Amino acid sequence: MVKGSIFWRLLITVLLLILIGGFSLQQKTEYGGSAAAEELQPAVSVVSAYFSSGALPTAGKIALTFDDGPSAVYTPKLLEGLKERGVKATFFITGKNAERFPELVKQMHEEGHLIGNHTYSHLQLTKSNRDKFQEELVRTGEIISGITGEEVVYVRPPYGSWDKSFEKELNLLPVLWTIDPLDWCTQNASEVVKKVISRAKENAVILLHDEYASSVAAALQIVDELQKKGYEFVTVEEILFD
Ligand SMILES: [Zn+2]
């Protein structure tokens, strides 16, 4: 679709340029060179209006994901900043925090963000705790859907430990990440921003945590910089199924 629209845009531009060329030649033969520049103006503004119509070719889709929240202090600031920028993100929340801050979960959902399961207590799956892990996933899914009214389909297993058989058993899709700036081990937002920007590319999934001031500040700066470069921020669902 995007490629198609770029093609038409280029074709229209070429046609407009041919028209302008023809027009300016005609002016030159009739009135001499000086009149042509003035007459060219309208045609030039048509071209620039076409390009500034907001549909510039994009650098692609990219997803911000936030784990371990919501946090009473930082999540509201993040949600406000995302809303101002028209950005949809994905939150992988723990059942424990969802129970503590249901209003924030509700707000995330109402503002168009995607909410995924991150177990109840941030449990890491090991060889010996499969049943407990499964129980936590089920419990967390129920807590979240009790708040949002929507079934939870996506899971980010803490530390990335996963067992494929849960996918069918629990009807859950695991979502990992492609860019991890290790935001939890620094308080320096610009360091996090730099790491993410240097690795940004189409369909990347960025991992951050909305429980630190620096991570929230970094997230909003990342949005500002990458939007300028033409990236569109979407939920992971749009990256996985497009
Ligand atoms: Zn986590």
Side-chain angles (χ1 to χ4, degrees), residues 110-228:
E110 284 170 358
E111 293 179 356
H113 303 294
L114 182 64
I115 302 174
N117 195 323
H118 199 47
T119 75
Y120 184 81
S121 67
H122 206 267
L123 185 68
Q124 179 170 19
L125 176 67
T126 63
K127 278 182 185 160
S128 55
N129 70 359
R130 197 181 184 281
D131 287 351
K132 185 169 189 331
F133 187 83
Q134 175 162 348
E135 200 184 287
E136 287 212 5
L137 288 176
V138 172
R139 184 177 174 194
T140 302
E142 285 169 1
I143 292 167
I144 298 171
S145 60
I147 298 168
T148 65
E150 227 171 77
E151 206 193 326
V152 181
V153 183
Y154 300 95
V155 56
R156 173 163 287 156
Y159 315 100
S161 310
W162 185 243
D163 177 341
K164 249 186 121 33
S165 60
F166 286 130
E167 287 164 36
K168 268 204 170 161
E169 272 172 55
L170 304 177
N171 209 11
L172 280 173
L173 275 175
V175 179
L176 298 181
W177 54 86
T178 63
I179 301 176
D180 178 5
L182 303 174
D183 63 314
W184 51 271
C185 63
T186 176
Q187 289 183 334
N188 185 341
S190 57
E191 200 181 295
V192 175
V193 174
K194 231 190 281 164
K195 279 187 193 164
V196 172
I197 302 292
S198 65
R199 295 178 217 166
K201 62 176 184 178
E202 189 171 14
N203 296 328
V205 177
I206 303 160
L207 169 61
L208 292 167
H209 299 81
D210 53 328
E211 50 179 353
Y212 308 103
S214 53
S215 297
V216 169
L220 299 178
Q221 283 175 45
I222 288 164
V223 169
D224 290 340
E225 292 205 24
L226 293 183
Q227 277 185 335
K228 264 188 245 156

Side-chain angles (χ1 to χ4, degrees), residues 16-83:
L16 279 170
L17 287 173
I18 291 168
L19 269 174
I20 295 165
F23 192 57
S24 100
L25 262 181
Q26 204 184 349
Q27 292 296 311
K28 269 181 192 154
T29 47
E30 279 177 30
Y31 307 110
S34 59
E38 265 176 47
E39 296 295 333
L40 259 176
Q41 274 321 108
V44 170
S45 6
V46 169
V47 176
S48 56
Y50 193 73
F51 271 105
S52 60
S53 64
L56 282 168
T58 72
K61 291 178 179 174
I62 197 160
L64 277 175
T65 65
F66 298 94
D67 287 9
D68 301 0
S71 138
V73 185
Y74 304 111
T75 308
K77 287 180 190 160
L78 175 63
L79 289 173
E80 193 189 328
L82 294 176
K83 196 178 187 180

